[in-house]
Amino acid sequence: MLLASWFAPAYAAGNTKEKTLFTQANISISGQVTDERGQPMPGVSIKVIGTNIGTVADANGKYTLSLPDNQVSGKLQFSFIGYLKQEVSIEGKLVINVTLQPEPNNVLNEVIVVGYGTQKKATINGSLNTVGSKDIGDKPVLNAYQALQGESPNLIIQQSTLDPGANVNINIRGIATTGNNNPLLVVDGIVSQNVNDLNLLNPSDIANVTVLKDAGSAAIYGSRGANGVILVTTKSGKFNQKATLNYNGSYGWQVPDVLVHKVSAADNAYYRNEALENSGLPPAYTPEQIQQLQAQGNGTWDIQHLIYDAPLQTQNVSISGGGESNSYFISGGYQNQMSNFIGNGGQGSDFGYQKYNFRLNQTSVIGKFKFNGILEYTKTRNKTNSVGDNNIIADANRVPANYSWTDAQGNFLTNPVASQYNEYGVLKQGGWNQADNDRIFGNLNGTLTITNNLKLTGVFGGTIQNNGNFFRRTQVNYLPAGVYGNDLTTFDNNAKSNAFNTQLYASYDKTFHQDHHFSATLGVSSENYYERGFQLQKTLTDPTFGTSTTGTLIDATNSYNSLAVDQNSLLSAFGRINYDYKSKYFLDFVFRDDSSSKFAKGHRNGFFPSVNTGWLISEEPFMDNIRKTMNNLKLRVTYGIVGNNQTAGDYSYQTTYFNYPAAYGFGNVLQGGAGTNLSNELLTWERAATFNVGADFGFFNNKLTGSIDYFNKVTSDIEQTPLDVPALFGAAPPVANVAKVRDQGWEFQLTYTLKTGKVTQSFSANIANTKNTLLKLTGNTQQFTYQQDVWQLIRAVGHPITEYYGYETNGFYQNQSDVSSYPHPAGTTVGVGDLKFKDLNGDGKIDSKDQTFIGDPFPHYTFGFTYRIAYAGFDLTAFIQGVGQRTEFLRGELVEPFHYDYGQTLYDHQLDFWTPENTDARFPRLATIGSPSNTNNWRTGSNLYAFNAAYIRLKNLNIGYTLPPTLTQKIGIQKLRVSVIGQNILTLSKLNFMDPETTEFDNNVGGSNASNSARAYLLPKFYGMGLDVTF
Amino acid sequence: MALGCKKLDIAPNDQYSSLNFWTTSANVYNALNNNYSLMYNSNLYFNLEGTSDNAYSANNSDLLLIASGTANSQTAEFQNDWASYYSAIKSCNEFLAFVDQNKTLDAATLARVKAEVRFIRAFEDFNLTKWYGDVPLINDNITEDQAKTETRTPQAQVYTFIVSEMDAIASALPTKDQLASTENGRITKGAALALKARVLLYQNKWADVVTTCEALMGGTNGSYSLAPNYENLFNDPATNKTNNESILSLQYVPATTRTWSNYWDFAPRSVGGRVSALAPTQELVNDYIMLNGDSITQSGSGYTEANPYVNRDPRLTATVVYDGYQWNNEGSTNGPSKTIYIKPGSDPTQPGLDEYSRNSESSSPTGYYWRKYFDPSALANYQSGNNLHLFRYAEILLDYAEAKNALGQMDATVWSQTIGALRTRAGFTDPNALNYPGNTDMTVIIRRERRVELALEGLRTDDLRRWKLANTVLNGYVHGAQFSGDPSTDNGYIRAQKRTFNPNRDYLWAIPLSELNLDKALTQNPNY
């Protein structure tokens, strides 16, 4: 929020005309208070020690104090929150100017961006965290969210894939709704339509990020505050600062971490025979064939031969500076992240993601008017393969090691397992999907200072976006047979959207009677969003160009004109009223009233209030004695109601009928059809009642600072598809306000700064946890959101929103008497080496009554730890991040040997299976699909598939050396720093064959199609160098 | 609000709302066509053959479970098919609830489209009851709350309802002969009679079957006759679309997005097949008789294991691809004309793509591929616009033969009208095959005729159920050709899958567990 800079000082207050409190006024003392940078300091409290005579400095830091002459030998005390108190003997002086020094490391002193303004940390009662540019800019990531991961407690970032340009799952304080859990993103004061828009920003343009967590901080965003708010402020120039030119860049390689290893082809054949034998089937390989495989050795058909160490680079240039009445910041950025997959699909550049950023931020002050404009242009291009990563990885993994992708002549080969496709050939020649997105972000805003106490701000801003996609599938022929892409599909699509936001708000700030400080912000806002797009899809296009030729067909079902329009509007009024007494007792009231086009008349208005209090205990006299040890202590309590309107679609209260082509045919001629979307006219917001209690503290001259928070949030009227409607209803029931979730949790963060001699160190750690409980789900029912033979996902009242469900394993049938005595599921036949399941209800049968809750897929105890040390030009930053507790179920060919016969492989990590010699195994005996053994072990959903996905990761390591300025200044360089950078270089996890960070879920752990086949894009480790030069 | 000039009442500009949808006549047809598209689909049509002894699916996990007798109330196929049929029913009920809002279509037209929709609804009811037994019979546009208390209607009542619906709608429907050629594929009087005949047959109501079939054989409800060439009925695009045998077909349109491509996973790999997803069994192949009318097990039939595919019912070659098959591509771009080598090691071009191998997902796990429904005009990846026959006249003749025989009325006349006619059309010329053989083994003969005539048309599992043969033929191994290489086991025939069938449970599918959880008025079928 750039607004912040021209809104400051937040404490623009003070009386210009002071009156003495004593009638017996004899002398008058005046002066000005300035801060450490020489800037006037408004709001400073001045009092005569030992009396109750005092005043407050005005907006220009000036004060006048009348006092009886018996006080001329006294002392004046100047105090301001976050600054060291200063005492000055009057000694008859009539003018006393004072410069106050900030308390070292006092976080209460920070100016923090909040919605529609800024506030000093000390005055904030809500729960929020800030992340500075230092914690974002030093990491060679293309994605600002990756940079934020682990930096703010309970800001939970998960990857669903590590593909270049891929979006992430974002949760603030866990999961509080079964619907959309996306936080609201606000960039420079303008509300974004999509939380992933942050990824379009150049991370090095970000000045700071504020994460609003509770109702106290987020209620100003009303109907969209329930999931928290991420406020991003981009960099701007400063007044009276000479122009500087900064260049920073990094270059390095992403080394994909292949964690899986096939057993040799001969071993694979041997185990395959064992599986067949255990299934009562004849062997597939003769001993001679196995010997032959042994002699042949391994081929190239694996992941390793589809990937390479892909380069990743970033280049950024910025110029900033400012004069008396204007300031500017201009930057340009280029980022290029190549995909780890080889190839280019046949034409053009290799697979990868590029982003170009240009930013302009200009501020001018003209009398009482301050004007700011921000313009940003972003272009991204993402070229990916035409078949999908999952398919590539699955096909590479499911084929035994004796096969190769190519023969000596370079022909692409198929084999009896992967008989149709060869993904090496697809990557090299099978076409591509290229997204080209352009976005312009603009923000014009102005503030008029009407009086010293009253300001009026107008904002107009938004984005214009144009997203395009070009897809081609081209033909690849294989030997001895098989062909890919002979449908020769080409499609082109484009979507244009506008999102505009207009705001007008007034801010008032005044101190009454010295101790009563009052400020208020009241405003209105209007938002409009509009999107339309088209697509043209053809098949059997020209093999070289994708153009239309003989036989080309237009795919009417998948082609559409620019008719489809998504549109929504939101009209709002909002306000924040702050009051504090003696800068010790804080009370504020925040509200928003929203009116949304997503809901029907009568259901579209919502009022969202929050009442918040704070007590700066450390300012109390009784704390005087320990203040030297405990410098700060503030208690905060908030309660409010915030909303969530994101789950509902744009028109979901209206029943609609959509026509479509190619429903059927009569007389060999296509016939169109029409389908129905059912509606719910009663649909309205979700409401989250949130209670938060927290404390901020500082010890030992604020070398040790931290905060702790606890929250309890109950979200009701959750918008979701009713889950209690049987399928025999025959249609998807429309979304309704039906569920209720409680989300409780805590956050703790601690920073310790240590300076000994020339060495400066800082340790910063945060940890958080949340626990969500489903309180109601469409009439207290429970729902399976995923039901397969491997496990189930359940939503059940009284349990976390989504849990794995199935049988608990109970070791193996170790001998024949086990087999005859211990029960097994009805319909299965078991033998020695098969899994036993727990008979939980003890009825001597294994049936659905023995199924139970077997794991929570959401990460718990998420933590981050940053260590910095600087000495004589050297600096080091190490950032560690992780998850303390998570259960992840994985299935597919990397878990089950010879998976469905679709997979014909066995992996090193699967070798711990039951044999008479290995009775305490991780996995049951080998058997093939369709056999009783396989059915019992692998088709009877159980925690056989459970893996511990807790991890701790050295996410970032940055070691730099700054050349001595005395040296570099001779050639006009103010600062020159070189660095080496490592990312993801070390991970500790019990899950050793797949990256524990990736998740198959979306951000509400919704699982209608969640089934992790362990086929995610590989985790790249990054090794590179950086250069940072400032002129 | 000063800044907000945008209104908050926003409607989509590319969709109709309930205010204006039904009053537009074109939309009535669009909604009708939507119901047609929901009626059935190619996956249902083909895949479920894998639950019978005609075929084995090696890579469809649900079919594996069902065929091996280990499916349960959470098996996805049970849930998905249930939901699919009820979604069509919902769409039909909605249509019937709202279509009268239209004031521009004439009464006869409205009556006709309603009759078509009632046929579709009854067809869904029929599919539901044949798989699940007693099922909720939903004839109204029910609410979400009503859905939670629906109870199961006994199967007999469901069947009675379907028959009464067919009787009720017949008068509003045209006969086949009254259809304009642009209406080819729409539901006719004949279709209503054909569904009625099938429903009666499944209840063993032999006398009613006879009358219903005779209503179709007489020509007054549309002139039906057997197409001259069996193979062309499925494969040749022109015959497939225009013939007098098809009573109702699932309609597709070539070179559009209304196509199907299941055959991609049926064809041998050397002629463009992808994987072998559904393979014919040795048990099916064995039921094709010899050209002389003898079954292969009959002494003197001339059958020899060493050369098993010669002198067989011509429909074998029209249906199944076997080792040494002379593949004629008929101009297809999907693969050449060639000999198909399936016996391991027999292909002069190695590796032999179609050869049987236990480790291959692409070659057939039984040593047989399908020829039936090979469409030479299909686009790449066998995207075919050929229709899939739901009811054809041959079935009526077989229904008739079966009913007559059950009534003890089979004779030379009925024989020549039915089995004899089908065999003549199939290409038999030997009088021993064509002439009435007397009543010895007539039940076996009729059933065998029905199996081979209708193979891969989705009726075999139904027949096994109503004949109560499933516990015999779906227990034990299902086999492939004599290529296992292990003569000591089953004489060298491939053991493709071990099947079990619990007669106390598996004659009905399980009601999906999720439905039982949500509608407490539902009950489960026995032993699930």
Side-chain angles (χ1 to χ4, degrees), chain B residues 40-47 233-235 240-241 249-267 274 334 370-389 456:
Chain B
Y40 215 56
N41 61 57
S42 62
N43 289 336
L44 289 171
Y45 187 83
F46 289 116
N47 291 359
L233 193 56
F234 310 98
N235 297 10
N240 172 269
K241 299 271 171 172
S249 299
L250 209 51
Q251 302 284 307
Y252 293 90
V253 184
T256 65
T257 44
R258 177 67 195 168
T259 54
W260 56 275
S261 58
N262 302 61
Y263 193 81
W264 197 11
D265 295 331
F266 296 167
R274 181 169 57 174
N334 275 303
W370 294 108
R371 171 72 177 186
K372 198 171 182 176
Y373 276 117
F374 159 72
D375 173 6
S377 74
L379 299 183
N381 307 335
Y382 283 104
Q383 271 191 59
S384 172
N386 276 4
N387 295 338
L388 303 177
H389 303 303
L456 195 61

Coordinates of all heavy atoms in Angstrom, one line a residue, chain B residues 40-47 233-235 240-241 249-267 274 334 370-389 456:
Chain B
Y40 N -27.6 -43.4 -22.8 CA -26.6 -44.5 -22.7 C -25.3 -44.0 -23.3 O -25.3 -42.9 -23.9 CB -27.1 -45.7 -23.5 CG -26.8 -47.0 -22.8 CD1 -27.1 -47.3 -21.5 CD2 -26.1 -48.0 -23.5 CE1 -26.8 -48.5 -20.9 CE2 -25.7 -49.2 -22.9 CZ -26.1 -49.5 -21.6 OH -25.8 -50.7 -21.1
N41 N -24.2 -44.7 -23.1 CA -23.0 -44.3 -23.7 C -22.1 -45.5 -24.1 O -22.4 -46.6 -23.7 CB -22.2 -43.3 -22.8 CG -21.8 -43.9 -21.5 OD1 -21.2 -44.9 -21.4 ND2 -22.3 -43.3 -20.4
S42 N -21.1 -45.2 -24.8 CA -20.3 -46.3 -25.4 C -19.6 -47.1 -24.3 O -19.3 -48.3 -24.4 CB -19.3 -45.8 -26.4 OG -18.4 -44.9 -25.8
N43 N -19.2 -46.4 -23.2 CA -18.5 -47.2 -22.1 C -19.5 -48.2 -21.5 O -19.1 -49.3 -21.2 CB -18.0 -46.2 -21.1 CG -16.8 -45.4 -21.6 OD1 -16.1 -45.8 -22.5 ND2 -16.6 -44.3 -21.0
L44 N -20.7 -47.7 -21.2 CA -21.7 -48.7 -20.6 C -21.9 -49.8 -21.6 O -22.0 -51.0 -21.3 CB -23.0 -48.0 -20.3 CG -23.0 -47.0 -19.1 CD1 -24.3 -46.2 -19.1 CD2 -22.8 -47.7 -17.8
Y45 N -22.0 -49.4 -22.9 CA -22.3 -50.4 -23.9 C -21.3 -51.5 -24.0 O -21.6 -52.7 -24.0 CB -22.4 -49.7 -25.3 CG -22.9 -50.5 -26.4 CD1 -24.3 -50.7 -26.6 CD2 -22.1 -51.1 -27.3 CE1 -24.8 -51.4 -27.7 CE2 -22.5 -51.9 -28.4 CZ -23.9 -52.0 -28.5 OH -24.4 -52.8 -29.6
F46 N -20.0 -51.1 -24.0 CA -19.0 -52.1 -24.2 C -18.4 -52.7 -22.9 O -18.3 -53.9 -22.8 CB -17.8 -51.5 -25.0 CG -18.1 -51.3 -26.5 CD1 -18.1 -50.0 -26.9 CD2 -18.4 -52.3 -27.3 CE1 -18.4 -49.7 -28.3 CE2 -18.7 -52.0 -28.7 CZ -18.7 -50.7 -29.1
N47 N -18.1 -51.9 -22.0 CA -17.3 -52.3 -20.8 C -18.0 -53.5 -20.1 O -17.3 -54.4 -19.7 CB -17.1 -51.2 -19.9 CG -16.1 -50.1 -20.4 OD1 -15.6 -50.3 -21.5 ND2 -15.9 -49.1 -19.7
L233 N -23.4 -54.5 -40.8 CA -24.3 -53.9 -39.8 C -23.6 -53.1 -38.8 O -24.1 -52.1 -38.3 CB -25.2 -55.0 -39.2 CG -26.4 -54.6 -38.4 CD1 -27.4 -53.8 -39.3 CD2 -27.1 -55.9 -38.0
F234 N -22.4 -53.6 -38.4 CA -21.6 -52.9 -37.4 C -20.5 -52.0 -38.0 O -20.2 -51.0 -37.4 CB -21.0 -53.9 -36.4 CG -22.0 -54.9 -35.9 CD1 -22.2 -56.2 -36.5 CD2 -22.9 -54.6 -34.9 CE1 -23.2 -57.1 -36.1 CE2 -23.9 -55.4 -34.5 CZ -24.0 -56.7 -35.1
N235 N -19.9 -52.6 -39.0 CA -18.7 -52.0 -39.5 C -18.8 -51.0 -40.6 O -18.2 -49.9 -40.7 CB -17.7 -53.1 -40.0 CG -17.3 -54.0 -38.8 OD1 -17.9 -53.9 -37.8 ND2 -16.3 -54.8 -39.1
N240 N -24.5 -49.5 -41.4 CA -24.7 -49.2 -40.0 C -25.8 -48.1 -39.7 O -26.5 -48.2 -38.8 CB -23.4 -48.8 -39.4 CG -23.5 -48.3 -37.9 OD1 -23.7 -47.2 -37.7 ND2 -23.4 -49.3 -37.0
K241 N -25.8 -47.1 -40.6 CA -26.7 -46.0 -40.4 C -28.1 -46.2 -41.0 O -29.1 -45.7 -40.5 CB -26.1 -44.7 -41.0 CG -24.7 -44.4 -40.4 CD -24.9 -43.4 -39.2 CE -23.6 -43.2 -38.5 NZ -23.7 -42.2 -37.5
S249 N -30.7 -47.2 -32.1 CA -29.3 -47.2 -32.0 C -28.9 -45.9 -31.3 O -29.5 -44.9 -31.4 CB -28.6 -47.3 -33.3 OG -29.0 -48.4 -34.0
L250 N -27.8 -46.1 -30.5 CA -27.1 -44.9 -30.0 C -26.5 -44.2 -31.1 O -25.6 -44.8 -31.8 CB -26.1 -45.4 -28.9 CG -25.8 -44.5 -27.8 CD1 -27.0 -44.0 -27.0 CD2 -24.9 -45.2 -26.8
Q251 N -26.8 -42.9 -31.3 CA -26.4 -42.2 -32.5 C -25.1 -41.5 -32.4 O -24.9 -40.8 -31.4 CB -27.5 -41.2 -32.9 CG -28.9 -41.8 -33.2 CD -29.0 -42.6 -34.5 OE1 -28.7 -42.0 -35.5 NE2 -29.4 -43.8 -34.5
Y252 N -24.3 -41.6 -33.4 CA -23.1 -40.8 -33.5 C -22.9 -40.2 -34.9 O -23.6 -40.6 -35.8 CB -21.8 -41.7 -33.2 CG -21.8 -42.2 -31.8 CD1 -22.5 -43.4 -31.4 CD2 -21.2 -41.5 -30.8 CE1 -22.5 -43.8 -30.1 CE2 -21.2 -41.9 -29.4 CZ -21.9 -43.1 -29.1 OH -21.9 -43.5 -27.8
V253 N -22.1 -39.2 -35.0 CA -21.9 -38.5 -36.2 C -20.4 -38.5 -36.6 O -19.6 -38.0 -35.8 CB -22.5 -37.1 -36.2 CG1 -22.4 -36.4 -37.5 CG2 -23.9 -37.1 -35.7
P254 N -20.0 -39.1 -37.7 CA -18.6 -39.2 -38.1 C -17.9 -37.8 -38.1 O -18.6 -36.8 -38.5 CB -18.6 -39.8 -39.4 CG -20.0 -40.3 -39.7 CD -20.9 -39.6 -38.8
A255 N -16.7 -37.8 -37.8 CA -15.8 -36.6 -37.9 C -16.4 -35.4 -37.2 O -16.4 -34.2 -37.7 CB -15.6 -36.2 -39.4
T256 N -17.0 -35.6 -36.0 CA -17.4 -34.5 -35.2 C -17.0 -34.8 -33.8 O -16.2 -35.7 -33.5 CB -19.0 -34.4 -35.2 OG1 -19.5 -35.6 -34.6 CG2 -19.5 -34.3 -36.6
T257 N -17.5 -34.1 -32.8 CA -17.2 -34.4 -31.4 C -18.2 -35.4 -30.8 O -18.1 -35.8 -29.7 CB -17.1 -33.2 -30.5 OG1 -18.2 -32.4 -30.8 CG2 -15.9 -32.4 -30.7
R258 N -19.2 -35.8 -31.6 CA -20.2 -36.8 -31.2 C -19.7 -38.2 -31.8 O -20.2 -38.7 -32.8 CB -21.6 -36.5 -31.6 CG -22.7 -37.5 -31.3 CD -23.0 -37.7 -29.9 NE -23.7 -38.9 -29.7 CZ -24.0 -39.4 -28.5 NH1 -23.5 -38.9 -27.4 NH2 -24.7 -40.5 -28.4
T259 N -18.6 -38.7 -31.2 CA -18.0 -39.9 -31.7 C -17.6 -40.8 -30.5 O -17.7 -40.3 -29.4 CB -16.7 -39.7 -32.5 OG1 -15.8 -38.9 -31.8 CG2 -17.1 -39.0 -33.8
W260 N -17.2 -42.0 -30.8 CA -16.7 -42.9 -29.7 C -15.4 -43.5 -30.1 O -15.2 -43.6 -31.4 CB -17.7 -43.9 -29.3 CG -18.2 -44.8 -30.4 CD1 -19.2 -44.5 -31.3 CD2 -17.7 -46.1 -30.8 NE1 -19.4 -45.6 -32.2 CE2 -18.4 -46.5 -31.9 CE3 -16.7 -46.9 -30.3 CZ2 -18.2 -47.7 -32.5 CZ3 -16.4 -48.1 -30.9 CH2 -17.1 -48.5 -32.0
S261 N -14.5 -43.9 -29.2 CA -13.3 -44.4 -29.6 C -12.8 -45.6 -28.8 O -11.7 -45.9 -28.7 CB -12.2 -43.4 -29.7 OG -12.1 -42.8 -28.4
N262 N -13.8 -46.3 -28.2 CA -13.5 -47.5 -27.4 C -12.7 -48.6 -28.3 O -11.9 -49.3 -27.7 CB -14.8 -48.2 -26.9 CG -15.6 -47.2 -26.1 OD1 -16.0 -46.2 -26.6 ND2 -15.7 -47.6 -24.8
Y263 N -13.0 -48.6 -29.6 CA -12.3 -49.6 -30.4 C -10.8 -49.4 -30.4 O -10.1 -50.4 -30.7 CB -12.9 -49.5 -31.8 CG -12.5 -50.8 -32.6 CD1 -13.2 -52.0 -32.5 CD2 -11.4 -50.7 -33.5 CE1 -12.8 -53.1 -33.2 CE2 -11.0 -51.9 -34.2 CZ -11.7 -53.0 -34.0 OH -11.3 -54.2 -34.7
W264 N -10.4 -48.2 -30.1 CA -8.9 -48.0 -30.0 C -8.3 -49.0 -29.1 O -7.2 -49.5 -29.3 CB -8.7 -46.6 -29.5 CG -7.3 -46.0 -29.7 CD1 -6.3 -46.5 -30.5 CD2 -6.8 -44.8 -29.1 NE1 -5.2 -45.8 -30.4 CE2 -5.5 -44.7 -29.6 CE3 -7.3 -43.9 -28.3 CZ2 -4.6 -43.6 -29.3 CZ3 -6.5 -42.8 -27.9 CH2 -5.2 -42.7 -28.4
D265 N -9.0 -49.4 -28.1 CA -8.5 -50.3 -27.1 C -9.0 -51.8 -27.3 O -8.9 -52.6 -26.4 CB -8.8 -49.9 -25.7 CG -8.1 -48.6 -25.4 OD1 -7.0 -48.3 -25.9 OD2 -8.6 -47.8 -24.6
F266 N -9.6 -52.0 -28.5 CA -10.0 -53.3 -28.9 C -9.2 -53.9 -30.0 O -9.0 -55.1 -30.1 CB -11.5 -53.3 -29.4 CG -12.5 -52.9 -28.4 CD1 -13.8 -52.6 -28.9 CD2 -12.3 -52.8 -27.1 CE1 -14.8 -52.2 -28.0 CE2 -13.3 -52.4 -26.2 CZ -14.5 -52.1 -26.6
A267 N -8.6 -53.0 -30.8 CA -8.0 -53.5 -32.1 C -6.6 -54.1 -31.8 O -6.0 -53.7 -30.8 CB -7.8 -52.3 -33.0
R274 N -4.4 -49.5 -29.2 CA -3.5 -48.9 -28.1 C -3.2 -49.9 -27.1 O -2.2 -50.5 -27.1 CB -4.3 -47.7 -27.5 CG -3.5 -47.0 -26.5 CD -4.1 -45.7 -26.1 NE -5.4 -45.8 -25.6 CZ -6.1 -44.8 -25.1 NH1 -5.6 -43.6 -25.0 NH2 -7.4 -45.0 -24.7
N334 N -6.3 -46.3 -40.1 CA -5.8 -46.7 -38.8 C -4.8 -47.8 -38.8 O -4.2 -48.1 -37.9 CB -6.9 -47.0 -37.8 CG -7.4 -45.7 -37.2 OD1 -6.7 -45.0 -36.6 ND2 -8.7 -45.4 -37.3
W370 N -11.1 -57.9 -30.9 CA -12.4 -57.8 -31.5 C -12.3 -57.2 -32.9 O -11.5 -56.4 -33.2 CB -13.3 -56.8 -30.7 CG -13.6 -57.2 -29.3 CD1 -13.1 -56.7 -28.2 CD2 -14.6 -58.2 -28.9 NE1 -13.7 -57.3 -27.1 CE2 -14.6 -58.3 -27.5 CE3 -15.4 -59.0 -29.7 CZ2 -15.4 -59.1 -26.8 CZ3 -16.2 -59.9 -29.0 CH2 -16.2 -60.0 -27.5
R371 N -13.2 -57.8 -33.7 CA -13.3 -57.2 -35.1 C -14.7 -56.4 -35.2 O -14.8 -55.5 -35.9 CB -13.3 -58.3 -36.1 CG -13.7 -57.9 -37.6 CD -12.6 -57.1 -38.2 NE -13.0 -56.8 -39.6 CZ -12.2 -56.2 -40.5 NH1 -10.9 -55.8 -40.1 NH2 -12.6 -55.9 -41.7
K372 N -15.6 -56.9 -34.5 CA -17.0 -56.3 -34.5 C -16.9 -54.8 -34.1 O -16.2 -54.5 -33.2 CB -17.9 -57.1 -33.5 CG -19.4 -56.8 -33.8 CD -20.2 -57.8 -32.9 CE -21.7 -57.7 -33.1 NZ -22.4 -58.7 -32.3
Y373 N -17.6 -54.0 -34.9 CA -17.6 -52.5 -34.7 C -16.3 -51.9 -35.1 O -16.0 -50.7 -34.7 CB -17.9 -52.2 -33.2 CG -19.4 -52.1 -32.9 CD1 -20.0 -53.0 -32.0 CD2 -20.2 -51.2 -33.6 CE1 -21.3 -52.9 -31.8 CE2 -21.6 -51.2 -33.4 CZ -22.1 -52.0 -32.4 OH -23.5 -52.0 -32.2
F374 N -15.5 -52.6 -35.9 CA -14.3 -51.9 -36.6 C -14.9 -51.0 -37.6 O -15.6 -51.4 -38.5 CB -13.4 -53.0 -37.2 CG -12.5 -52.4 -38.3 CD1 -11.4 -51.6 -37.9 CD2 -12.7 -52.7 -39.6 CE1 -10.6 -51.1 -38.9 CE2 -11.9 -52.2 -40.6 CZ -10.9 -51.4 -40.3
D375 N -14.6 -49.7 -37.5 CA -15.1 -48.7 -38.4 C -14.0 -48.3 -39.4 O -13.1 -47.6 -39.0 CB -15.7 -47.6 -37.6 CG -16.1 -46.4 -38.5 OD1 -16.1 -46.6 -39.8 OD2 -16.5 -45.3 -38.0
P376 N -14.0 -48.7 -40.6 CA -13.0 -48.3 -41.6 C -12.9 -46.8 -41.8 O -11.9 -46.3 -42.2 CB -13.3 -49.1 -42.8 CG -14.7 -49.5 -42.7 CD -15.0 -49.6 -41.3
S377 N -14.0 -46.1 -41.6 CA -13.9 -44.7 -41.8 C -13.6 -43.9 -40.6 O -13.6 -42.7 -40.6 CB -15.3 -44.2 -42.3 OG -16.2 -44.2 -41.2
A378 N -13.2 -44.6 -39.5 CA -12.9 -43.9 -38.2 C -11.7 -43.0 -38.5 O -10.8 -43.4 -39.2 CB -12.7 -44.9 -37.1
L379 N -11.7 -41.9 -37.8 CA -10.5 -41.0 -37.8 C -9.4 -41.6 -36.9 O -9.6 -42.7 -36.3 CB -10.9 -39.6 -37.3 CG -12.0 -38.9 -38.2 CD1 -12.2 -37.5 -37.7 CD2 -11.6 -38.9 -39.7
A380 N -8.3 -40.8 -36.8 CA -7.2 -41.3 -36.0 C -7.7 -41.7 -34.6 O -8.6 -41.2 -34.1 CB -6.2 -40.1 -35.8
N381 N -7.0 -42.7 -34.1 CA -7.3 -43.3 -32.8 C -8.8 -43.9 -32.8 O -9.4 -43.9 -31.7 CB -7.2 -42.3 -31.7 CG -5.8 -41.6 -31.7 OD1 -4.9 -42.2 -32.2 ND2 -5.7 -40.4 -31.2
Y382 N -9.2 -44.3 -33.9 CA -10.5 -45.0 -34.0 C -11.6 -44.2 -33.5 O -12.5 -44.6 -32.8 CB -10.4 -46.4 -33.3 CG -9.7 -47.4 -34.2 CD1 -8.4 -47.8 -33.9 CD2 -10.4 -47.9 -35.3 CE1 -7.8 -48.7 -34.7 CE2 -9.7 -48.9 -36.1 CZ -8.4 -49.3 -35.8 OH -7.8 -50.2 -36.6
Q383 N -11.6 -42.9 -33.8 CA -12.8 -42.1 -33.5 C -13.8 -42.4 -34.5 O -13.8 -42.0 -35.6 CB -12.4 -40.6 -33.6 CG -11.9 -40.0 -32.3 CD -11.8 -38.5 -32.3 OE1 -12.8 -37.9 -32.6 NE2 -10.6 -38.1 -32.2
S384 N -14.9 -43.0 -34.0 CA -15.9 -43.6 -34.9 C -17.2 -42.8 -34.8 O -17.6 -42.4 -33.7 CB -16.1 -45.1 -34.6 OG -17.2 -45.5 -35.4
G385 N -17.9 -42.7 -35.9 CA -19.2 -42.1 -35.9 C -20.3 -43.1 -36.1 O -21.4 -42.8 -36.4
N386 N -19.9 -44.4 -36.1 CA -20.9 -45.5 -36.3 C -21.8 -45.5 -35.1 O -21.4 -45.3 -34.0 CB -20.2 -46.8 -36.5 CG -19.8 -47.1 -37.9 OD1 -19.9 -46.2 -38.8 ND2 -19.2 -48.2 -38.2
N387 N -23.1 -45.9 -35.4 CA -24.0 -46.1 -34.3 C -23.8 -47.4 -33.5 O -23.3 -48.4 -34.1 CB -25.5 -46.0 -34.9 CG -25.8 -44.7 -35.5 OD1 -25.2 -43.7 -35.2 ND2 -26.8 -44.7 -36.4
L388 N -24.2 -47.4 -32.3 CA -24.2 -48.6 -31.5 C -25.6 -49.1 -31.3 O -26.5 -48.3 -30.8 CB -23.5 -48.3 -30.1 CG -22.1 -47.7 -30.2 CD1 -21.6 -47.4 -28.8 CD2 -21.2 -48.6 -30.9
H389 N -25.9 -50.3 -31.7 CA -27.2 -50.8 -31.8 C -27.7 -51.2 -30.4 O -27.1 -52.1 -29.7 CB -27.3 -52.0 -32.7 CG -26.9 -51.7 -34.1 ND1 -27.5 -50.7 -34.8 CD2 -25.9 -52.3 -34.9 CE1 -26.9 -50.7 -36.0 NE2 -25.9 -51.6 -36.1
L456 N -20.7 -58.8 -27.8 CA -20.2 -57.4 -27.6 C -21.3 -56.4 -27.8 O -21.1 -55.2 -28.0 CB -19.1 -57.2 -28.7 CG -18.2 -55.9 -28.5 CD1 -17.5 -56.0 -27.2 CD2 -17.3 -55.7 -29.6

